């Protein structure tokens, strides 16, 4: 699994961070000006989505017979930006969508297996 600095060195990545499911930012590196308050807000957003997806995936797996757990990661893209979250939903990057190699990003984010 890549370090935060290695993630930040990937094409298009402007922020790399680790957070817990309570929404606390544990550590982050940024190429852009990102105050700690904004990093904390990003951690809360990403943690909330990860927890929601864990709940939905577990329920859907039970009802569908398809194996959707454990979570490996997710992505959201809007405007010019994409959030890619891996490591079981606890670390991720913000990347310029037009510059992203999503296969490389998710490989570098690692999996919680």
């Amino acid at each position: 699994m890549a370090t935060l600095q290695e993630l930040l060195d990937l094409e298009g990545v402007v922020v790399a961070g680790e957070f817990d499911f309570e929404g606390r930012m544990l550590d982050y590196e940024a190429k852009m000006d990102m105050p700690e308050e904004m990093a904390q807000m990003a951690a809360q957003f990403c943690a909330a989505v990860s927890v929601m997806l864990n709940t939905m995936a577990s329920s859907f797996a039970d009802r569908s017979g398809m194996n959707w757990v454990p979570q490996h990661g997710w992505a959201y893209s809007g405007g010019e930006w994409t959030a890619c979250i891996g490591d079981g939903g606890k670390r991720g990057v913000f990347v310029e969508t037009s510059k992203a190699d999503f296969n490389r990003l998710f490989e570098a984010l690692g999996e919680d297996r």
Side-chain angles (χ1 to χ4, degrees):
M1 186 176 336
T3 66
L4 293 181
Q5 186 58 55
E6 289 169 338
L7 290 170
L8 197 60
D9 289 340
L10 295 173
E11 180 72 23
V13 174
V14 296
V15 178
E18 297 176 315
F19 52 91
D20 63 23
F21 287 140
E22 284 76 42
R24 290 183 294 256
M25 179 62 74
L26 303 177
D27 194 14
Y28 75 100
E29 298 285 338
K31 288 181 186 173
M32 61 183 276
D33 181 29
M34 179 176 262
E36 192 167 329
E37 182 178 300
M38 185 174 168
Q40 182 59 44
M41 183 177 61
Q44 290 171 348
F45 164 79
C46 292
V49 173
S50 290
V51 169
M52 178 193 65
L53 289 173
N54 281 339
T55 301
M56 290 172 56
S58 180
S59 178
F60 188 69
D62 289 344
R63 293 172 192 237
S64 70
M66 300 168 69
N67 187 11
W68 286 92
V69 293
Q71 177 188 151
H72 300 299
W74 56 269
Y76 172 82
S77 187
E80 299 172 355
W81 297 97
T82 299
C84 294
I85 309 301
D87 189 22
K90 298 178 291 195
R91 70 194 314 252
V93 298
F94 285 1
V95 60
E96 293 177 72
T97 304
S98 64
K99 297 180 180 178
D101 177 343
F102 293 103
N103 290 329
R104 177 68 189 111
L105 285 170
F106 279 107
E107 179 184 306
L109 284 166
E111 296 181 351
D112 186 29
R113 289 188 187 196

